[in-house]
Amino acid sequence: MANRKTDTTAMMQPRYTGIPTFMRVPMVGDWDAVDIGLIGVPYDGGVTNRAGARHGPREIRNQSSLMRTYHHVTRVSPYDLVSVADLGDVLFKHLLEHPKALDEIETVFAKIKAHNIIPLSAGGDHTISLPILRALAKDGPVGMIHIDAHTDTWDMFQGSKFSHGSPFRNATEEGLLDPKRVIQIGIRGAQTTADGWDFSEKSGMRVVYMEEFAEIGVPAVIKEARRVVGDGPVYLSFDVDGLDPIYTPGTGTPEIGGITTLEAQQLLRGLRHLNYMGADVVEVAPPFDPTGNTALVAATLMYEILCLIAEKIAAGR
């Protein structure tokens, strides 16, 4: 397969010009020549407290105009390695019929997979990870690196199995995740039940509570993550509430005592050359952060992950 590059024309213009797209890459309707698809999923129908993540993709696009091309540590320019495009947003016809809305998300990501595109998604609440995994993991269970304050393996909430607190319990029960190849990093905060923590641990997931993260440090967590997921297909899911709310106040369920932005970058940079098959950054709720900083953090995390996926694709060629 011939190497493909990204049209970076828009990136050479002043960053306040033009129509915002993710990272200022082209927005395309023809997906045939795309390697990595950046896509928004403006859905927060699974939120159990503060709504607003439906506005995340639009503001992340805006703040991602501040991203540039070359990574200052790895010297990787993902746009020189592969073709990156903005695929737009998932559009809904049944937004308020939540099971149907999840089906609509799955349908879009099934088309992305059919085009051999690796998706990097901007949420939306964490519910979106379930239909994405339904589309991407049809061939068998996959591993996952999950950075979050919460395990998101709770069961029923107000009579529904589908919420942003349950996607990875559902994904495990549906055979989409191999729990023994799942690591959850940054977990913390009091809960009204131990159900989620218990499910994660009893199913075989490696849970790195924030206290352990602080004690052993980023390099040890990187080593553990690489051990757990191994060489098989892996999905990366980053909830911005995994970070301390001093960095990401614009989120639905903030928990103090979290990861710093520098630690997050160091963690991601230690996860190079894994077999990524998709990723998301979720739970940015712009109405709770009028400064735009939460969306800027999310856009920067997306750029870090973009570099990881681009390297993976380039190495495979």
Side-chain angles (χ1 to χ4, degrees), residues 24 31 80 105 107 112 148 159 178 180 190 197 235 259 268 299:
R24 295 186 288 168
W31 295 1
D80 291 337
I105 296 170
T107 296
I112 291 171
D148 201 326
D178 176 358
K180 293 181 173 55
W197 304 323
Y235 189 81
I259 298 169
L268 291 173

Side-chain angles (χ1 to χ4, degrees), residues 118-139:
I118 295 181
L120 173 51
S121 311
D125 74 52
H126 224 150
T127 312
I128 72 168
S129 298
L130 176 61
I132 293 173
L133 286 168
R134 285 174 174 169
L136 300 185
K138 286 188 179 298
D139 300 328

Side-chain angles (χ1 to χ4, degrees), residues 3 28 45 101 133-134 138 162 182 184 190 242 259 310:
N3 285 347
V28 300
L133 286 168
R134 285 174 174 169
K138 286 188 179 298
F162 302 106
V182 171
Q184 300 185 301
I259 298 169

Side-chain angles (χ1 to χ4, degrees), residues 257-272:
I259 298 169
T260 72
T261 48
L262 178 58
E263 288 169 335
Q265 289 176 301
Q266 291 170 330
L267 177 60
L268 291 173
R269 293 166 190 170
L271 299 174
R272 298 170 70 185

Side-chain angles (χ1 to χ4, degrees), residues 70-150:
Y70 282 92
H71 194 289
H72 79 281
V73 175
T74 64
R75 295 299 195 268
V76 167
S77 171
Y79 315 109
D80 291 337
L81 299 177
V82 297
S83 172
V84 185
D86 189 324
L87 305 184
D89 281 354
V90 174
L91 301 178
F92 297 93
K93 293 182 179 179
H94 301 281
L95 185 61
L96 299 182
E97 298 179 83
H98 298 304
K100 289 184 179 180
L102 299 190
D103 290 342
E104 290 179 311
I105 296 170
E106 179 184 352
T107 296
V108 172
F109 280 84
K111 292 178 182 177
I112 291 171
K113 182 182 179 182
H115 281 80
N116 296 313
I117 297 170
I118 295 181
L120 173 51
S121 311
D125 74 52
H126 224 150
T127 312
I128 72 168
S129 298
L130 176 61
I132 293 173
L133 286 168
R134 285 174 174 169
L136 300 185
K138 286 188 179 298
D139 300 328
V142 301
M144 182 175 68
I145 297 171
H146 172 208
I147 303 164
D148 201 326
H150 314 99

Side-chain angles (χ1 to χ4, degrees), residues 145 183 185 206 208 216-230 266-267 270-271 274:
I145 297 171
I183 185 168
I185 301 169
R206 174 66 166 96
V208 180
I216 67 177
V218 173
V221 175
I222 291 169
K223 183 177 180 180
E224 182 71 348
R226 299 183 73 93
R227 180 194 69 79
V228 169
V229 302
Q266 291 170 330
L267 177 60
L271 299 174
L274 297 178

